[in-house]
Amino acid sequence: DVKVTQSSRYLVKRTGEKVFLECVQDMDHENMFWYRQDPGLGLRLIYFSYDVKMKEKGDIPEGYSVSREKKERFSLILESASTNQTSMYLCASSFSGRETQYFGPGTRLLVL
Amino acid sequence: AQSVTQLDSQVPVFEEAPVELRCNYSSSVSVYLFWYVQYPNQGLQLLLKYLSGSTLVKGINGFEAEFNKSQTSFHLRKPSVHISDTAEYFCAVKDYQGAQKLVFGQGTRLTINP
């Protein structure tokens, strides 16, 4: 079974803090994705990566950056957290050229 | 660019009743279509997908969906729901070529009442 894990299920941070969300997959997938999920808006893509050290902006990259130093790990960074970044963050991965994405359990982030 | 519209944000049904969750998409190119389910406090799990071939696709947990190209729809159905089907359901599309990313609809919250 594919396993995608995220470092925290719940996180509380203060405005202005730098926040790291970690995602690890164990299936040697080339592609990795970060989404945020908000009620009534579904999932929106923040960034994705199709290889180590490669990244591409998704639909809502503002206020976020990413890092992929190893194939199995994809980090989402909030350089200076703001209250409007309070959300559920979901990581996913897939094989290159394959359609199915596999999701982690999500991190619910609250920024105070 | 693709877009997905899930026509109902919430659908309440009684246990053992049939259910249909509606999904319409917009795209200038051919697409793959997906339904994902999110149970409370969990990530998303693939229910079923349409890639090509038969327009009626069967998935896990007794769900099925029908691809209708002329109506650009991919509605999800189950003939008899169970309490355990209570979850949020997301429709998504991906174009045949180009980026690997999925475009999701807004989600439909399915509530099953006893």
Side-chain angles (χ1 to χ4, degrees), chain A residues 17-107:
Chain A
E17 278 192 78
K18 190 168 186 175
V19 181
F20 292 87
L21 302 182
E22 303 282 334
C23 174
V24 177
Q25 50 93 6
D26 67 356
M27 280 302 290
D28 205 34
H29 286 167
E30 293 85 7
N31 302 323
M32 295 189 76
F33 308 82
W34 276 107
Y35 296 90
R36 65 176 281 176
Q37 179 184 3
D38 299 289
L41 297 178
L43 278 73
R44 293 176 293 166
L45 182 65
I46 305 171
Y47 267 97
F48 66 100
S49 168
Y50 51 89
D51 202 351
V52 175
K53 296 192 187 295
M54 306 300 286
K55 61 184 179 184
E56 287 208 18
K57 292 180 180 179
D59 301 315
I60 51 164
E62 296 78 19
Y64 303 95
S65 62
V66 290
S67 172
R68 191 159 180 209
E69 296 296 319
K70 293 185 177 182
K71 191 174 185 179
E72 66 271 17
R73 189 179 297 270
F74 192 35
S75 302
L76 180 69
I77 304 155
L78 286 65
E79 295 289 343
S80 177
S82 63
T83 54
N84 63 13
Q85 291 178 311
T86 290
S87 188
M88 168 75 97
Y89 290 88
L90 290 161
C91 176
S93 69
S94 70
F95 281 118
S96 179
R98 301 280 183 88
E99 302 75 24
T100 302
Q101 291 185 16
Y102 297 87
F103 284 81
T107 295

Side-chain angles (χ1 to χ4, degrees), chain B residues 39-93:
Chain B
Y39 297 107
N41 299 314
Q42 294 186 29
L44 273 68
Q45 178 182 353
L46 182 69
L47 258 185
L48 49 79
K49 60 185 176 184
Y50 173 78
L51 304 181
S52 64
S54 172
T55 57
L56 183 63
V57 180
K58 293 191 183 297
I60 61 171
N61 302 337
F63 283 92
E64 63 181 31
E66 185 152 22
F67 170 53
N68 188 319
K69 190 173 183 179
S70 62
Q71 297 187 7
T72 60
S73 68
F74 191 54
H75 300 333
L76 181 70
R77 300 186 184 101
K78 186 170 183 178
S80 176
V81 295
H82 189 265
I83 291 282
S84 59
D85 293 322
T86 295
E88 189 148 24
Y89 293 78
F90 293 94
C91 183
V93 301

Side-chain angles (χ1 to χ4, degrees), chain B:
Chain B
Q2 294 87 39
S3 67
V4 179
T5 302
Q6 292 183 240
L7 296 156
D8 306 294
S9 59
Q10 296 188 63
V11 173
V13 296
F14 287 107
E15 195 172 15
E16 298 183 6
V19 70
E20 177 180 83
L21 306 184
R22 297 180 293 168
C23 172
N24 285 92
Y25 69 92
S26 171
S27 177
S28 57
V29 298
S30 296
V31 295
Y32 299 122
L33 294 152
F34 305 81
W35 275 99
Y36 280 84
V37 60
Q38 184 180 35
Y39 297 107
N41 299 314
Q42 294 186 29
L44 273 68
Q45 178 182 353
L46 182 69
L47 258 185
L48 49 79
K49 60 185 176 184
Y50 173 78
L51 304 181
S52 64
S54 172
T55 57
L56 183 63
V57 180
K58 293 191 183 297
I60 61 171
N61 302 337
F63 283 92
E64 63 181 31
E66 185 152 22
F67 170 53
N68 188 319
K69 190 173 183 179
S70 62
Q71 297 187 7
T72 60
S73 68
F74 191 54
H75 300 333
L76 181 70
R77 300 186 184 101
K78 186 170 183 178
S80 176
V81 295
H82 189 265
I83 291 282
S84 59
D85 293 322
T86 295
E88 189 148 24
Y89 293 78
F90 293 94
C91 183
V93 301
K94 176 188 171 305
D95 67 31
Y96 271 12
Q97 297 169 341
Q100 297 287 311
K101 65 177 188 175
L102 292 170
V103 175
F104 285 86
Q106 303 90 331
T108 298
R109 186 169 297 279
L110 177 63
T111 304
I112 312 299
N113 298 304

